[in-house]
Amino acid sequence: MKTDIKPGLTHTQIYETTAQMRATQLTADVFSTPAMIGLMEGTCVRLTAPYLDDGENTVGMHVDVYHLAPTKIGQSVTVTAEILEIEGNKIGYAVSAINDAGVKIGEGKHRRAVILPKQFADG
């Protein structure tokens, strides 16, 4: 990890919800919790990537997220990730999501570990 990674860094990204992100157990076309969490994790990955050394990557370790409100498929969702803490190779984030109607639809915390994929795959 590069030395300029620090708490307070943020990344925000806008995503369009698609049919593949639908809560399939419902008859209504609404955005699913797993899809929202996936976007939150992806935003954390994009926030961290510029601060990794060659050959490093991150893997998710923990997710604690609340899905607060529904969003219809086709709406856009803005996800923000902020680095809260760095402890060794572990990074803690705050994550939030707001739909295009300005409604906060999700918030929580996420943790990732910085790894060397080759060593990780070797067990």
Side-chain angles (χ1 to χ4, degrees):
M1 240 182 325
K2 296 187 169 102
T3 57
D4 54 345
I5 189 170
K6 61 184 185 269
L9 292 171
T10 64
H11 180 72
T12 299
Q13 189 153 349
I14 300 171
Y15 302 90
E16 184 79 19
T17 60
T18 66
Q20 292 77 22
M21 299 174 177
R22 183 179 173 278
T24 57
Q25 76 278 19
L26 303 176
T27 56
D29 285 340
V30 294
F31 186 46
S32 73
T33 302
M36 180 184 72
I37 291 170
L39 296 181
M40 290 171 163
E41 286 195 83
T43 304
C44 291
V45 168
R46 284 183 273 294
L47 166 57
T48 307
Y51 302 97
L52 298 177
D53 291 325
D54 288 341
E56 290 181 327
N57 210 325
T58 62
V59 292
M61 301 174 46
H62 184 83
V63 177
D64 183 9
V65 168
Y66 293 92
H67 197 160
L68 303 171
T71 295
K72 292 180 182 177
I73 293 300
Q75 284 187 271
S76 63
V77 172
T78 301
V79 177
T80 300
E82 177 184 359
I83 295 176
L84 296 178
E85 62 183 355
I86 302 163
E87 296 175 8
N89 72 323
K90 315 253 183 334
I91 305 171
Y93 306 85
V95 290
S96 64
I98 299 171
N99 68 22
D100 57 11
V103 175
K104 181 182 268 191
I105 63 165
E107 66 182 0
K109 301 235 168 109
H110 179 46
R111 288 184 65 76
R112 300 188 71 76
V114 177
I115 58 133
L116 294 169
K118 182 177 176 359
Q119 291 176 347
F120 187 78
D122 292 341

